[in-house]
Amino acid sequence: MTNDLNELRTLLFGLEPQKLEKIYERLDNPQITAEDISRLLPEAAQRAEDKELSDAMVPTVENAIHTSIQKDQDVLATAIFPIVGPATRKAAIAAVEEMIQSLDKTLEFGLSPKSLKWRIEALMTGKTFAQIVMLRTLVYQVEQVFLIHKKNGLLLQHVVAPQVPVQDPDLVSAMLTAIQDFVKDSFNTHKEDTLHSLYYGELTIWIEEGPQAVLAGIIRGNAPRELRLVFQDAIEKIHQKLNRELIVFEGDTEPFANSKPFLQNCLTSQYKNQNAKKSPYAIILLSTIGLSIVIWSFFTIRNQLRWNAFIEDLDSQPGIVVIKAETRSGKYFVSGMRDLLAVEPEVLMKKFDFTSKEVMSRWERYASLEPPIVERRAAQLLKAPTTISFQVDENETLYASGSAPRRWILKAQKSWHLIPGVSQYEDKNTIAFELNQLESYKKQIEEKNLLFFEGTTDLLPGEEKNFRELVLVIKKLSGTAEYLGKNLRIQIVGHTDSIGNEETNRILSQARANTILNSLSERGIDTSYFNTIGDSDREPPNMKLPDKEGKYSRRVTFRVFLSDNSR
């Protein structure tokens, strides 16, 4: 009967008896079960539009994490190790980049030859100056990498760089484990503490520890800190890929062959790249900088040489003593002592293409006793004419030479002792202007020829003008001779041609000389220092022109005699 009723229910309601019983049970017990909550909680969390559900779950999650850590912290560390590593590395990379930028600014103004070489390399490679510094100072090579099981210290895998001599890797692994255990046992350390680095000469051993395994790298040289990131990345990826194998490891190392690619990534080295492709822009910039340096150096050296030559020439000038010469802020400064009679420094500045704006000078006055300055001072104090020159010897004797008015010569003989730096004076090579004039007048008179008609004492036409000129020169000669205290005597000589007898010609020549003497007296000339003679035709005329008619022989000439006054 019961089975029939069940079949009838099934036909009427389309439900199986078991499902119907569960419905009755749910109606009899309306309480929410844990099974219901587990089924509805994810859907409720997805559909939650406010923070009430998340706020309510926070204390439970925090308590669960706290309890898990207290129970066994390795469980949680193993779970979050693949996440924490990359996050930490990302933060470290950001810090390193910031450090590089700071280092670049710090070293930007370095001017040593090595820093200049590094800056040129930075321009050619496109890297920052700080990066080049790090590359040049931190050269290294990772020679071997060991993967060691953390709990039992057995070697899981080992890789080595080419051409590196290898010892027994199992022995090395055992030694590293023994050293780490020795440190932990010998010193008061925490359970989670580990040995990170070992140093021996040029070799460094870096150790990176994971939850189940340890990575150890043998490094020769000075490796950068960024290499730690490579090691950390390798140990993280090994745990991600081989975590189960690490946990169940009982001595079989074959599954860990898959860790070789990660270990080989750690076999890095850093060398100077000689064949790096150079940027054309960097080459152009470098060439421009080099050309600028060459041009700047050329002008700097040229200006310095010009300045040195100027100072040397200035210091060699009489009456100038250079005490200090220097350059400051692109300008030149010179100071010292200068005699007022020394050359003007501005004159030398122009000689070396300097201007008064470029060169600042300061001079103290002093009296120089150098010979050139003494000579200039003598000319200034004695007011010497430009025709007089002076010379001072080592005995402080002043020599005067040249021509000057007799009055100045006499005055200089009285005033020379007032000149500083002169102890004696000599002017025997000084000639008075008047003596030169006297000689000039004498020459003019002796070159005069007064011509006469044949057989007479009458002058030829035009000789009157010649005679008037003669009178003026005789007056000048007479006055100058008197001024100089010279005795003057003028001889008038009469001449004839060769026609006629000798006695007649002698008388005629004497008459012609007397005629000129009388004419001079009539013109106001003192004839007391004159005398006349008749020389007839014994002295032929000194003429280059032909004298067939004896025209130039019928003449009067003059002879001038000068002597010192015996008084």
Side-chain angles (χ1 to χ4, degrees), residues 276-287:
K277 184 178 180 180
K278 300 176 177 60
S279 170
Y281 299 103
I283 294 176
I284 293 174
L285 179 60
L286 181 61
S287 301

Side-chain angles (χ1 to χ4, degrees), residues 235-252:
I235 194 66
E236 291 165 4
K237 291 181 177 179
I238 289 172
H239 276 78
Q240 287 178 353
K241 187 170 184 177
L242 302 171
N243 187 57
R244 182 176 176 279
E245 289 81 353
L246 289 170
I247 294 174
V248 301
F249 174 72
E250 293 183 353
D252 183 13

Side-chain angles (χ1 to χ4, degrees), residues 543-555:
M543 300 267 184
K544 293 183 180 181
L545 297 176
D547 190 25
K548 294 180 180 180
E549 299 178 355
K551 173 182 177 181
Y552 296 104
S553 298
R554 300 185 292 271
R555 71 192 189 282

Side-chain angles (χ1 to χ4, degrees), residues 276-412:
K277 184 178 180 180
K278 300 176 177 60
S279 170
Y281 299 103
I283 294 176
I284 293 174
L285 179 60
L286 181 61
S287 301
T288 303
I289 294 175
L291 181 60
S292 302
I293 292 174
V294 170
I295 294 174
W296 176 81
S297 301
F298 169 76
F299 284 105
T300 300
I301 295 173
R302 189 193 68 169
N303 290 339
Q304 188 61 43
L305 293 176
R306 186 162 54 102
W307 170 250
N308 293 341
F310 167 69
I311 294 299
E312 184 178 353
D313 191 16
L314 186 65
D315 195 38
S316 66
Q317 295 297 321
I320 293 180
V321 178
V322 176
I323 297 177
K324 187 176 183 181
E326 60 182 346
T327 57
R328 296 197 304 266
S329 303
K331 289 191 175 183
Y332 302 96
F333 297 86
V334 59
S335 59
M337 298 186 298
R338 175 180 172 271
D339 191 290
L340 291 176
L341 296 176
V343 64
E344 291 288 344
E346 288 75 11
V347 175
L348 297 179
M349 289 181 194
K350 293 180 180 179
K351 176 182 176 182
F352 290 92
D353 295 329
F354 285 112
T355 64
S356 56
K357 293 182 179 179
E358 293 178 288
V359 180
M360 305 298 172
S361 59
R362 182 178 179 182
W363 304 101
E364 298 293 338
R365 294 183 180 180
Y366 89 111
S368 173
L369 296 181
E370 295 178 80
I373 299 299
V374 174
E375 293 165 6
R376 295 173 196 173
R377 187 174 290 115
Q380 183 185 66
L381 294 178
L382 298 178
K383 298 180 181 179
T386 57
T387 52
I388 290 291
S389 62
F390 294 98
Q391 186 175 0
V392 179
D393 65 9
E394 57 184 10
N395 297 321
E396 297 185 348
T397 300
L398 178 64
Y399 295 92
S401 59
S403 59
R406 183 168 181 271
R407 182 178 299 176
W408 179 88
I409 295 174
L410 296 175
K411 184 178 179 181

Side-chain angles (χ1 to χ4, degrees), residues 221-241:
N222 190 11
R225 288 293 175 183
E226 289 81 352
L227 185 60
R228 285 279 187 185
L229 303 179
V230 178
F231 283 18
Q232 291 171 5
D233 182 70
I235 194 66
E236 291 165 4
K237 291 181 177 179
I238 289 172
H239 276 78
Q240 287 178 353
K241 187 170 184 177

